[in-house]
């Protein structure tokens, strides 16, 4: 589905500066129709340029002609939306430069003497061609969040943002838009001038000023003057043993480098070009065997970014940072004049990942053990409220929160004491779209996997002296973990009789008007799975089959033998049985299958147009593969589980191999965030944006984990 072209080069020159020969620039071109994605990174700045050009073959009514530039620095960007002047179909594309043959070049202009903002004006320039006269009808300048809210939020535009956009002539025959951010010093510009004999750019005045272009080619520049981040190069993001990937997997390592910086790793581009705690930690756990360690390495960048953003009051780990123009925007809504970064703390899953990652690095690696003391004594600087607080203190706040919130269930074993979404929030874990949990309040993945994994890690960290104020955790956290491992699955278990399962699947196929086969011949007994969440409609379990089994397989080595065997058996069934009986299709495992919900109002929330519906997420494939590999590898270690001596081991191996067959078949999609499907003599991969206003990120951090996750001989 994605056509990939990767070019590595050295930039000889750019506007305003000459790059040294030891400063390589990386270029990447990824196609997912109707989106053309161009990446350019060098020692000056990093830019992601997306050209959207729908045509008669575009199966996407939401796509609009557009030029979008996204910058990791400040999670910022510039978007220009176009319309054909007449009723023709507007096509636009980038052209190669006549000087160096490249599609994009870096812009770097020093700040004028005496300027209020002393940062250089940097960005990207190129050539864009229109096949028919066009109007630039809408510029959005500043935060990526503003652009995302418009594209996915039904055209939401903030008057405070848009009213600050200035339109003016640029030179003798060009035009530009610019906007000064809410901080009063940073500015984003986008300008256009005719090239190759094209007509002059015209400014059309009115309530909303527009720029008019004739048929032909125009030079564009998108720039801003925000402080730049220190990007990790392809070699810097990898450990010594993995340097071969720089040449073996050029496009994937280029993507990983684009998202990697000395102080954090970013979730994805273009829509999530900033820190997300869950994304970065899950990525680190899956890729820890290839990421660079030690001071200045990728693993410490991830852990440090998480600890820096912990809520010092209650220990909650930050889900998403707000910085740059969007931070100022949110502050203004509260009546505060500030551009200081802030955090979103609404998630309930992210806390439990931090101790797991800390244990895996500071306890389980030689480098981590040597770095624990100097790293954890560092003082926080990112958030004003955390300034001067040692990393070890902040990490301990999170561990204290985990111990406090998990204790009630240990003493009671009742569902009401499981981890719930926060009051007033409809989301709280990775399925964080409005319908991702089907209205549930007690998420399966958090309670049955993340909580006990976090507790196990706290015990190990305490045993190593990481939390000297709480030596008792060495024993107590392990006891807590055992209870959560053994006693939580039963609340989520769903068992459907063979006859009921056949009827439910047939009714679902009819209700959803599925084109594919019902596959009910694969129902040869009861169907067992674990509900997506508890506390759904009428306070019932959300009976949606799902891939979140992968968390438990990957994060835990459980010891209740009967429970482990039953759990592994039903996971293998879901992989071996085809949708809508199981989760398996030619395009991968669906992260949700609502066929057994028995409620159309539930199943309607999990369609192939829904962000967490009957769609495929790359990282869930990776974690499922890694998790099953870990469980099967236990059979070759001391104290092998009981299933290793039964037919279940063979069945699990079959499921593991079947999963890898599907992964291999979908290599073209794996670096992207999520994909959907259409049925045409089988399931065919289709971009989610074909059915939704959501554009899947063309590169996503946790979708790059197949760099490290491989099929094992188990």
């Amino acid at each position: 589905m994605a056509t990939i072209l990767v070019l590595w080069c050295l930039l000889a020159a750019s506007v305003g500066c000459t790059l040294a020969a030891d400063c390589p620039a990386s270029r990447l071109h990824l196609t997912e129709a109707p989106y053309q994605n161009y990446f350019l990174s060098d020692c000056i700045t990093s830019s992601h340029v997306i050209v959207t050009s729908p045509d008669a073959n575009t199966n996407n009514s939401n796509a609009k002609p557009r030029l979008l530039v996204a910058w990791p620095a400040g999670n910022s960007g510039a978007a220009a939306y176009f319309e054909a002047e007449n009723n023709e179909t507007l096509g636009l594309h980038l052209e190669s430069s006549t000087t160096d043959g490249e599609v994009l070049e870096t812009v770097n202009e020093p700040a004028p003497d005496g300027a209020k903002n002393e940062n250089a004006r940097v960005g990207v320039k190129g050539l864009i061609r229109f096949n028919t006269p066009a109007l630039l009808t809408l510029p959005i300048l500043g935060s990526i969040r503003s652009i995302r809210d418009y594209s996915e939020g039904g055209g939401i535009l903030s008057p405070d943002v848009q009213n600050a956009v200035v339109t003016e002539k640029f030179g003798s025959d060009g035009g530009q838009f610019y906007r000064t951010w809410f901080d009063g010093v940073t500015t984003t510009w986008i300008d256009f001038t005719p090239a190759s004999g094209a007509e002059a750019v015209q400014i059309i005045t009115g309530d909303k000023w527009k720029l008019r272009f004739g048929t032909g080619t125009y030079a564009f520049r998108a720039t801003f003057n925000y402080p730049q981040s220190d990007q990790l190069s392809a070699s810097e993001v990898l450990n010594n043993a993995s340097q071969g990937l720089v040449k073996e997997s050029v496009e994937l390592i280029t993507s990983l480098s684009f998202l990697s910086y000395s102080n954090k790793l970013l979730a994805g581009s273009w829509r999530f070009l900033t820190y997300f705690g869950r994304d970065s930690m899950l990525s680190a756990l899956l890729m820890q065997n290839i990421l660079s360690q030690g001071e200045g390495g990728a693993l410490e960048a991830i852990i440090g970014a998480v600890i820096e953003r912990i809520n010092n009051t209650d220990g909650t780990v930050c889900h998403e940072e707000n910085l740059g123009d969007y931070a100022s925007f949110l502050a203004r809504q509260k009546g505060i004049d500030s551009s200081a970064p802030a955090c979103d703390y609404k998630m309930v899953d992210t806390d439990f990942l931090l101790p797991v990652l800390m244990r895996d690095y500071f306890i389980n690696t030689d480098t981590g053990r040597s770095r624990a003391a100097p790293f954890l004594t560092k003082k926080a600087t990112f958030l004003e409220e955390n300034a001067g607080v040692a990393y070890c203190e902040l990490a301990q706040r999170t561990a204290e929160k985990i111990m406090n919130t998990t204790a009630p269930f240990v003493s009671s074993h009742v569902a009401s004491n499981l981890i719930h979404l926060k009051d007033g929030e409809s989301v709280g874990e990775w399925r964080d779209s409005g319908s991702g949990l089907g209205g549930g309040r007690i998420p399966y993945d958090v309670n049955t996997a993340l909580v006990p994994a976090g507790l196990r890690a706290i015990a190990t960290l305490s045993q190593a002296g990481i939390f000297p104020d709480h030596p008792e955790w060495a024993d107590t956290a392990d006891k807590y973990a055992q209870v959560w491992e053994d006693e939580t699955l039963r609340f989520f278990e769903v068992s459907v009789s063979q006859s009921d399962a056949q009827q439910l699947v047939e009714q679902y196929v009819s209700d959803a008007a599925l084109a594919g086969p019902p596959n009910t011949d694969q129902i040869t007994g009861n169907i067992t799975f674990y509900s997506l969440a508890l506390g759904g409609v009428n306070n019932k379990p959300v009976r949606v089959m799902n891939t979140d089994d992968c968390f438990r397989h990957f994060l835990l080595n459980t010891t209740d033998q009967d429970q482990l065997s039953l759990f592994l058996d039903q996971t293998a069934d879901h992989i071996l049985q085809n949708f809508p009986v199981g989760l398996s299709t030619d395009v991968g495992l669906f992260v949700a299958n609502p066929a057994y919900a028995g409620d159309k109002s539930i199943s309607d929330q999990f369609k192939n147009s829904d962000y967490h519906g009957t769609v495929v997420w790359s990282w869930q494939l990776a974690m499922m593969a890694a998790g099953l590999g870990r469980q099967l590898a236990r059979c070759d270690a001391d104290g092998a589980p009981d299933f290793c001596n039964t037919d279940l081991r063979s069945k699990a191996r079959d499921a593991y191999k079947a999963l890898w067959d599907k992964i291999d078949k979908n290599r073209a999609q794996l670096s992207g965030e999520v994909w959907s499907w259409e049925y045409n003599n089988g399931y065919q991969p289709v971009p989610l944006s074909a059915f939704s206003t959501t554009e899947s990120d063309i590169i996503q951090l946790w979708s790059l984990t197949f760099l490290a996750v491989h099929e094992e001989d188990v």
Side-chain angles (χ1 to χ4, degrees):
M1 180 171 63
T3 301
I4 298 176
L5 171 65
V6 181
L7 300 172
W8 284 78
C9 70
L10 292 177
L11 281 180
S14 63
V15 175
C17 81
T18 300
L19 294 181
D22 62 352
C23 183
S26 62
R27 299 175 183 272
L28 178 64
H29 177 199
L30 302 175
T31 296
E32 185 179 84
Y35 308 105
Q36 296 292 332
N37 296 267
Y38 301 87
F39 297 84
L40 172 60
S41 296
D42 54 30
C43 294
I44 297 169
T45 189
S46 298
S47 302
H48 177 188
V49 178
I50 307 102
V51 176
T52 308
S53 185
D55 58 27
N57 297 318
T58 299
N59 183 23
N60 184 349
S61 60
N62 300 306
K64 301 176 182 179
R66 179 191 66 186
L67 172 68
L68 192 157
V69 181
W71 294 300
N75 191 24
S76 54
Y81 286 83
F82 300 93
E83 296 176 0
E85 185 178 42
N86 304 310
N87 292 324
E88 299 181 31
T89 299
L90 175 60
L92 52 156
H93 67 269
L94 298 189
E95 293 187 338
S96 299
S97 167
T98 57
T99 56
D100 62 9
E102 300 294 355
V103 175
L104 298 175
E105 297 178 65
T106 295
V107 177
N108 181 28
E109 298 178 349
D113 291 340
K116 189 175 181 181
N117 187 336
E118 298 180 355
N119 297 315
R121 179 175 171 179
V122 300
V124 68
K125 68 175 183 177
L127 297 171
I128 186 168
R129 181 171 180 82
F130 303 96
N131 70 336
T132 191
L135 301 174
L136 197 170
T137 58
L138 174 65
I140 308 175
L141 309 176
S143 171
I144 286 294
R145 281 297 299 263
S146 296
I147 302 172
R148 178 152 59 96
D149 287 348
Y150 173 76
S151 67
E152 298 179 9
I156 294 174
L157 289 170
S158 165
D160 288 345
V161 173
Q162 294 306 112
N163 291 342
V165 175
V166 177
T167 312
E168 64 181 24
K169 287 185 65 65
F170 182 73
S172 61
D173 52 5
Q176 77 169 347
F177 295 103
Y178 71 87
R179 175 180 162 263
T180 299
W181 293 11
F182 293 118
D183 64 8
V185 295
T186 307
T187 301
T188 302
W189 298 265
I190 186 166
D191 56 63
F192 299 86
T193 53
S196 304
E199 297 178 34
V201 178
Q202 297 179 19
I203 297 178
I204 302 175
T205 60
D207 292 340
K208 296 179 181 179
W209 291 23
K210 304 174 183 178
L211 298 184
R212 181 194 179 276
F213 305 84
T215 301
T217 301
Y218 291 80
F220 73 89
R221 297 190 316 160
T223 55
F224 68 139
N225 55 355
Y226 189 79
Q228 299 300 293
S229 302
D230 180 18
Q231 185 178 359
L232 298 180
S233 69
S235 60
E236 289 173 331
V237 77
L238 298 171
N239 59 31
N240 291 336
S242 304
Q243 291 297 310
L245 291 171
V246 174
K247 293 183 178 179
E248 295 167 9
S249 301
V250 179
E251 67 276 3
L252 299 179
I253 295 300
T254 303
S255 300
L256 178 59
S257 173
F258 185 83
L259 298 174
S260 301
Y261 296 83
S262 61
N263 60 348
K264 60 184 173 183
L265 270 64
L266 314 181
S269 195
W270 62 273
R271 294 162 46 251
F272 302 120
L273 204 49
T274 193
Y275 161 96
F276 281 78
R278 176 200 309 120
D279 300 55
S280 58
M281 286 192 284
L282 286 176
S283 300
L285 290 169
L286 285 163
M287 290 196 288
Q288 55 193 309
N289 62 321
I290 68 167
L291 294 178
S292 53
Q293 302 178 1
E295 188 172 12
L299 280 171
E300 290 194 14
I302 292 170
I303 299 171
V306 174
I307 292 177
E308 284 272 1
R309 292 160 177 78
I310 289 172
N311 186 322
N312 193 18
T313 301
D314 66 5
T316 303
V317 172
C318 175
H319 164 57
E320 177 186 4
E321 69 180 0
N322 299 310
L323 74 169
D325 196 45
Y326 194 66
S328 301
F329 173 74
L330 294 179
R332 282 167 60 92
Q333 291 184 319
K334 299 176 182 177
I336 302 170
D337 182 13
S338 172
S339 58
C343 273
D344 174 349
Y345 293 108
K346 66 173 169 281
M347 296 296 164
V348 299
D349 61 341
T350 314
D351 301 341
F352 303 101
L353 294 169
L354 177 58
V356 178
L357 184 56
M358 288 179 62
R359 177 202 61 197
D360 281 11
Y361 180 57
F362 292 121
I363 306 300
N364 295 344
T365 71
D366 293 337
T367 301
R369 284 192 294 273
S370 69
R371 287 285 300 156
F375 181 89
L376 293 172
T377 54
K378 289 176 63 174
K379 302 296 178 65
T381 59
F382 180 72
L383 296 178
E384 291 179 352
E385 56 268 34
N386 287 354
V389 182
Y391 279 12
C392 57
E393 295 180 43
L394 292 166
Q396 183 169 292
R397 297 274 199 285
T398 299
E400 288 170 344
K401 178 188 177 184
I402 291 171
M403 295 300 294
N404 290 334
T405 56
T406 58
F409 179 79
V410 173
S411 61
S412 67
H413 297 194
V414 297
S416 59
N417 284 330
L418 293 171
I419 302 298
H420 294 59
L421 302 187
K422 294 185 178 181
D423 292 343
E425 299 289 351
S426 61
V427 298
E429 44 82 85
W430 86 268
R431 297 174 185 265
D432 54 357
S433 57
S435 60
L437 287 178
R441 304 292 302 170
I442 304 174
Y444 163 57
D445 61 328
V446 176
N447 286 282
T448 64
L450 298 183
V451 170
L455 289 166
R456 290 289 187 204
I458 289 172
T460 303
L461 291 166
S462 182
Q463 290 163 11
I466 297 294
F467 302 124
D469 293 343
H470 294 281
E472 73 280 6
W473 288 350
D475 179 61
T476 305
D478 253 341
K479 291 179 178 178
Y480 282 17
Q482 194 68 51
V483 173
W484 281 82
E485 282 182 13
D486 294 346
E487 299 296 334
T488 53
L489 271 182
R490 59 189 173 90
F491 294 105
F492 297 87
E493 185 174 354
V494 175
S495 183
V496 185
S497 70
Q498 181 177 356
S499 59
D500 286 349
Q502 289 172 334
Q503 292 177 10
L504 287 168
V505 169
E506 289 169 357
Q507 185 63 51
Y508 168 68
V509 169
S510 175
D511 289 344
L514 289 183
N519 295 313
T520 50
D521 58 307
Q522 296 181 19
I523 302 175
T524 57
N526 290 356
I527 295 293
T528 300
F529 61 92
Y530 294 89
S531 61
L532 201 56
L534 306 179
V537 176
N538 297 322
N539 207 34
K540 293 182 178 179
V542 180
R543 293 181 17 150
V544 173
M545 186 184 289
N546 59 84
T547 51
D548 285 353
D549 293 355
C550 67
F551 286 100
R552 194 165 167 104
H553 290 307
F554 181 69
L555 294 172
L556 298 174
N557 282 340
T558 58
T559 55
D560 183 322
Q561 297 302 316
D562 290 342
Q563 186 183 77
L564 172 60
S565 294
L566 290 171
F567 186 71
L568 182 59
D569 186 55
Q570 58 88 38
T571 299
D573 281 340
H574 305 161
I575 295 172
L576 294 170
Q577 292 170 336
N578 292 322
F579 176 80
V581 174
L583 298 171
S584 185
T585 72
D586 289 339
V587 298
L589 301 183
F590 289 164
V591 299
N593 174 5
Y596 305 100
D599 185 337
K600 191 172 183 297
S601 69
I602 297 295
S603 59
D604 282 349
Q605 299 177 54
F606 296 92
K607 303 183 296 298
N608 67 338
S609 58
D610 294 308
Y611 197 44
H612 296 101
T614 50
V615 295
V616 183
W617 284 69
S618 177
W619 78 269
Q620 284 267 292
L621 296 178
M623 184 171 279
M624 185 67 82
L628 286 179
R630 285 188 174 186
Q631 294 306 312
L632 286 166
R634 295 174 69 183
C635 294
D636 297 322
D638 293 338
D642 290 354
F643 79 82
C644 298
N645 299 315
T646 69
D647 291 341
L648 177 55
R649 182 181 185 182
S650 178
K651 180 178 180 179
R653 277 174 168 168
D654 290 343
Y656 182 71
K657 292 183 180 300
L659 174 59
W660 274 105
D661 287 344
K662 297 184 186 307
I663 290 168
D664 290 337
K665 187 175 182 178
N666 288 278
R667 290 285 174 184
Q669 287 77 249
L670 292 183
S671 63
E673 180 187 11
V674 53
W675 59 94
S676 186
W677 53 275
E678 61 184 4
Y679 194 86
N680 181 10
N681 293 321
Y683 289 89
Q684 308 295 331
V686 173
L688 179 63
S689 59
F691 309 118
S692 169
T693 58
T694 298
E695 297 173 35
S696 170
D697 281 350
I698 194 69
I699 61 171
Q700 194 79 0
L701 181 63
W702 58 16
S703 299
L704 300 174
T705 51
F706 283 106
L707 283 163
V709 177
H710 306 287
E711 186 172 5
E712 306 290 345
D713 184 14
V714 290

